[in-house]
Amino acid sequence: MKPSSQTENSVVIKSLAFKFLERAGYQGIAFVVQLVLARIIPTKEYGMLGLLTIFISISQVFVQSGLNTALIQRKDVTENDYSSIFYVSLLISVVLYIVLFLTAPFIAAFYEMPRLEPLLRVLALVLIPGAFNSIQNAKVAREMRFKELMFCTIGAVLISGTVGIVMALKGMGAWALVGQQLTSRVAICILLLLIVKWRPKRVFEWNRVKMLFGFGWKLMISALIDVIFREMQGLVIGKKYKPEKLAYYNQGKRFPDIIISNVNGSIQSVMLPALSKHNGDNEKVKSMMRRSIVTSSFLIFPLCMGLAVIAPPMVHLVLTDKWMPCVPFLQAYCFVYAFWPIHTANLQALNAQGRSDMFLKLEVIKKAYGLGSLVITVFFFKTPLAIVLGQCVTTLLSCFVNASPNKKLLGYGYKEQMADILPSLGIAVIMGAAVYSINFLKLSDVLTLLIQLPLGVAVYAGLAKYFKLECFEYILNMGKKVLKRGR
């Protein structure tokens, strides 16, 4: 291996390690904060915030998607580009805030919840610092400065978590959740401002904005379609059922989202800038993409399987009886999130090759049959759980849809991808059966979890070693290298 290649691999591994620590630290602290807030705040209040978050998520697509990715993907980005895109993002965020401010009364009236109006008007303020943060994240990703991001992110979640808990203890309900989210966005911007030290210049180059927009607009539309469709489920549940049902849906989704996005998000955040550097070298892109799918699948399959199996005693223990209805949603979303590595790796490979047109085409196809699934489950079933079960079916279909372009572009199609993940999936299923068998002992929640957790790790690691899975050895070797460099 050439020295330059060794150096590049070292940078990628180091960046991945810091990104994982950043995600793990952030998600771990956020998870604890959410557990505390869930015990204090009534489920109805959680349901109200769930409705507001839907509108914020859709708005954030315009601020943080498309142009942000274009800044990461392009090889010839200049300092003036950062400033030009920042001013565009800031203008968009201000316009969107005004729209949400003016439409807040109509949204509150539609859901017959007058309290939504002031809550939405305050929560929508997160869009303003979000414009600044989108440029900061792009600069961090391009320069692989994930160590600085780790400290800033963990610091922000500690500050916002403290604010949220204090407000909740004072009986402020949904306002505590709003205060937490707004504080989080402002804190991360300020901390990155101090460490990354990027400042917008007094310059605006319209030609460069048009050039970046030429690539980014397809990604923005793709992200918008994805977010609207994903949040449409919450909109339907919030309107058709009681707010408590939406709270159970969101809480069940949150558990696997926190755990899985930590592993998968860490890998993919590093992979996009790394893959983009090899745009045109199909063999190198395929090799890196394959490594991403195999490694993340090996980590995510057991996490999803284990979380689904231990869900009942875990929820009962940490969230109390009032949140037990969220267990079926949690288990269904474990299945959905298990296949994220295949989706994201294929889509990131397309982004790295500049094929945002293909990315958009895939999103339209997936959302077409996804919308059909949503309509069927809403009109022919009387439970919100059916909506999530329908998503489980469309998730499997999307694996083949997302993999199809890379069969032609990189020679890495769905058959080869399925063959790469089946060993990890197989031993994860065996591990899940072993862990589930402990439930038949009828022990206390604490004792059940104390047995299930180490048993799951032992069975999965033991099977991986017995069957000599290459990804198991790769992860062990990578861990040794990181520890060695740390010393």
Side-chain angles (χ1 to χ4, degrees), residues 317-451:
L317 179 65
V318 301
L319 292 178
T320 69
D321 285 340
K322 72 176 184 178
W323 285 104
M324 285 303 290
C326 81
V327 170
F329 294 104
L330 189 158
Q331 293 170 327
Y333 266 109
C334 282
F335 183 88
V336 173
Y337 281 106
F339 294 92
W340 265 29
I342 303 174
H343 301 319
T344 50
N346 279 285
L347 296 176
Q348 292 288 51
L350 287 177
N351 284 341
Q353 297 173 87
R355 295 306 304 270
S356 57
D357 57 331
M358 187 70 72
F359 192 107
L360 177 57
K361 182 179 179 180
L362 293 182
E363 287 303 312
V364 172
I365 294 172
K366 289 183 294 183
K367 296 312 176 282
Y369 60 73
L371 183 59
S373 172
L374 180 62
V375 171
I376 292 172
T377 53
V378 167
F379 287 99
F380 292 94
F381 297 91
K382 297 181 179 180
T383 170
L385 181 60
I387 297 175
V388 185
L389 294 178
Q391 191 176 354
C392 292
V393 176
T394 59
T395 292
L396 284 177
L397 183 58
S398 295
C399 288
F400 298 97
V401 173
N402 287 331
S404 58
N406 286 311
K407 181 179 181 181
K408 180 179 179 181
L409 296 173
L410 302 174
Y412 189 37
Y414 51 81
K415 289 183 180 180
E416 194 173 357
Q417 292 182 28
M418 291 297 112
D420 283 340
I421 69 170
L422 279 177
S424 298
L425 179 60
I427 63 174
V429 171
I430 297 173
M431 178 214 71
V435 172
Y436 182 77
S437 65
I438 304 301
N439 292 326
F440 294 109
L441 299 178
K442 304 296 182 181
L443 304 172
S444 66
D445 292 337
V446 175
L447 191 55
T448 298
L449 291 172
L450 286 176
I451 296 174

Side-chain angles (χ1 to χ4, degrees), residues 64-74 215 219 272 351:
Q64 299 186 0
S65 297
L67 293 175
N68 172 283
T69 306
L71 286 173
I72 300 174
Q73 191 271 341
R74 296 287 300 189
F215 171 81
L219 294 180
L272 177 58
N351 284 341

Side-chain angles (χ1 to χ4, degrees), residues 131-142:
F132 198 87
N133 188 230
S134 67
I135 308 302
Q136 292 174 319
N137 286 332
K139 193 167 184 62
V140 165
R142 280 190 65 87

Side-chain angles (χ1 to χ4, degrees), residues 470-482:
E470 184 273 338
C471 52
F472 179 62
E473 296 297 328
Y474 173 80
I475 291 173
L476 288 179
N477 291 332
M478 187 175 72
K480 291 177 182 178
K481 289 180 180 179
V482 172

Side-chain angles (χ1 to χ4, degrees), residues 142-420:
R142 280 190 65 87
E143 298 174 1
M144 295 287 191
R145 299 178 64 181
F146 294 105
K147 181 179 180 180
E148 289 92 337
L149 181 63
M150 176 185 70
F151 291 118
C152 294
T153 304
I154 293 176
V157 74
L158 284 171
I159 295 171
S160 62
T162 302
V163 170
I165 291 174
V166 170
M167 292 177 69
L169 290 173
K170 290 183 175 294
M172 301 184 71
W175 282 108
L177 300 172
V178 171
Q180 179 205 5
Q181 292 198 23
L182 188 56
T183 304
S184 176
R185 183 64 67 182
V186 173
I188 187 66
C189 283
I190 294 175
L191 292 174
L192 279 173
L193 190 66
L194 296 174
I195 295 179
V196 178
K197 297 181 180 179
W198 175 81
R199 305 288 190 278
K201 298 180 178 179
R202 295 181 179 179
V203 61
F204 184 84
E205 297 183 358
W206 178 244
N207 290 333
R208 297 291 293 178
V209 171
K210 288 195 296 183
M211 183 271 294
L212 291 168
F213 186 74
F215 171 81
W217 76 268
K218 302 182 189 72
L219 294 180
M220 184 175 68
I221 296 299
S222 301
L224 183 62
I225 293 172
D226 181 60
V227 171
I228 288 177
F229 177 77
R230 182 160 26 95
E231 301 296 349
M232 191 182 299
Q233 298 176 348
L235 287 171
V236 171
I237 294 173
K239 179 61 179 176
K240 188 173 182 179
Y241 305 97
K242 295 180 179 179
E244 288 85 348
K245 290 289 185 181
L246 181 59
Y248 298 139
Y249 165 84
N250 285 330
Q251 193 67 265
K253 185 179 179 180
R254 181 175 289 115
F255 274 87
D257 179 59
I258 286 176
I259 296 175
I260 305 312
S261 63
N262 181 29
V263 178
N264 194 54
S266 300
I267 294 175
Q268 301 310 326
S269 295
V270 176
M271 289 307 295
L272 177 58
L275 287 171
S276 297
K277 292 180 180 179
H278 296 282
N279 185 11
D281 186 350
N282 290 349
E283 286 299 320
K284 183 67 175 179
V285 172
K286 176 184 176 179
S287 175
M288 297 176 71
M289 176 187 169
R290 187 172 190 175
R291 172 58 62 197
S292 173
I293 287 180
V294 172
T295 304
S296 54
S297 295
F298 180 80
L299 296 172
I300 286 178
F301 281 147
L303 288 173
C304 287
M305 180 63 69
L307 183 59
V309 171
I310 70 170
M314 181 190 67
V315 171
H316 185 264
L317 179 65
V318 301
L319 292 178
T320 69
D321 285 340
K322 72 176 184 178
W323 285 104
M324 285 303 290
C326 81
V327 170
F329 294 104
L330 189 158
Q331 293 170 327
Y333 266 109
C334 282
F335 183 88
V336 173
Y337 281 106
F339 294 92
W340 265 29
I342 303 174
H343 301 319
T344 50
N346 279 285
L347 296 176
Q348 292 288 51
L350 287 177
N351 284 341
Q353 297 173 87
R355 295 306 304 270
S356 57
D357 57 331
M358 187 70 72
F359 192 107
L360 177 57
K361 182 179 179 180
L362 293 182
E363 287 303 312
V364 172
I365 294 172
K366 289 183 294 183
K367 296 312 176 282
Y369 60 73
L371 183 59
S373 172
L374 180 62
V375 171
I376 292 172
T377 53
V378 167
F379 287 99
F380 292 94
F381 297 91
K382 297 181 179 180
T383 170
L385 181 60
I387 297 175
V388 185
L389 294 178
Q391 191 176 354
C392 292
V393 176
T394 59
T395 292
L396 284 177
L397 183 58
S398 295
C399 288
F400 298 97
V401 173
N402 287 331
S404 58
N406 286 311
K407 181 179 181 181
K408 180 179 179 181
L409 296 173
L410 302 174
Y412 189 37
Y414 51 81
K415 289 183 180 180
E416 194 173 357
Q417 292 182 28
M418 291 297 112
D420 283 340

